[in-house]
Amino acid sequence: MKRLLIAGLAALALTSSAWADGDAAAGATVFAQCSACHAVGAGAQNNVGPVLNGVVGRPAGTYPSYRYSSAMRKSGLTWDEATLTQYLKGPDKLVPGSKMIFPGIASDTDLANVIAFLKQQKAE
Ligand code: HEC
């Protein structure tokens, strides 16, 4: 009985870590909402928003030749899973005065997936 319980817990831990990592392929679909303003991939150019290649691990407000709000430049944030999750839930809540006009993603699954997708977009 004890052994079964341990096996069950291990399986649970495995599935929840898979969830936390997100599904990049599903995230590509979520990114459709972002692509009105953001480009990724080879040859991506700044648009309404900055290029998002290499954004995971990048200090906020630092992509070359993009005019960020002063709120973003002064935020002192670095984009990782935790900060991206908060920003994408409500940009203006994490960075008051951010010029990203986006209502936010409510679904935790969509959030994890779009962040997994962003992780795959390496800096040029
Ligand atoms: C309506 C246009 C628009 C949409 C849609 C949009 N963004 Fe943005 N985004 C912006 C703008 C503008 C900025 C710059 C914000 C600033 O300077 O305050 C920005 C900034 C960002 C940043 C910070 C980048 C950096 O270099 O510091 C991230 C990360 C980001 N957006 C991710 C996303 C994701 C992911 C989505 C889709 C879920 C999305 N955005 C949807 C316009 C948009």
Side-chain angles (χ1 to χ4, degrees):
M1 180 59 198
K2 207 173 176 187
R3 223 178 246 172
L4 250 177
L5 191 70
I6 291 169
L9 283 176
L12 197 72
L14 270 177
T15 39
S16 61
S17 75
W19 176 83
D21 280 347
D23 176 346
T29 311
V30 180
F31 192 77
Q33 302 174 54
C34 322
S35 58
C37 301
H38 290 285
V40 291
Q45 300 285 326
N46 288 325
N47 192 343
V48 177
V51 170
L52 293 181
N53 290 336
V55 73
V56 182
R58 183 162 94 198
T62 58
Y63 192 83
S65 309
Y66 180 80
R67 288 178 63 88
Y68 289 94
S69 64
S70 62
M72 185 60 82
R73 276 186 277 115
K74 291 177 187 157
S75 69
L77 296 169
T78 294
W79 297 123
D80 58 20
E81 270 177 42
T83 52
L84 281 170
T85 300
Q86 270 184 288
Y87 186 61
L88 297 177
K89 272 186 180 168
D92 211 41
K93 284 191 199 115
L94 182 65
V95 184
S98 169
K99 61 176 190 171
M100 171 159 146
I101 308 302
F102 184 71
I105 296 178
S107 152
D108 288 338
T109 310
D110 284 355
L111 275 168
N113 291 349
V114 81
I115 292 168
F117 173 79
L118 288 175
K119 279 187 190 164
Q120 289 190 336
Q121 314 306 315
K122 303 292 181 205
E124 298 99 296

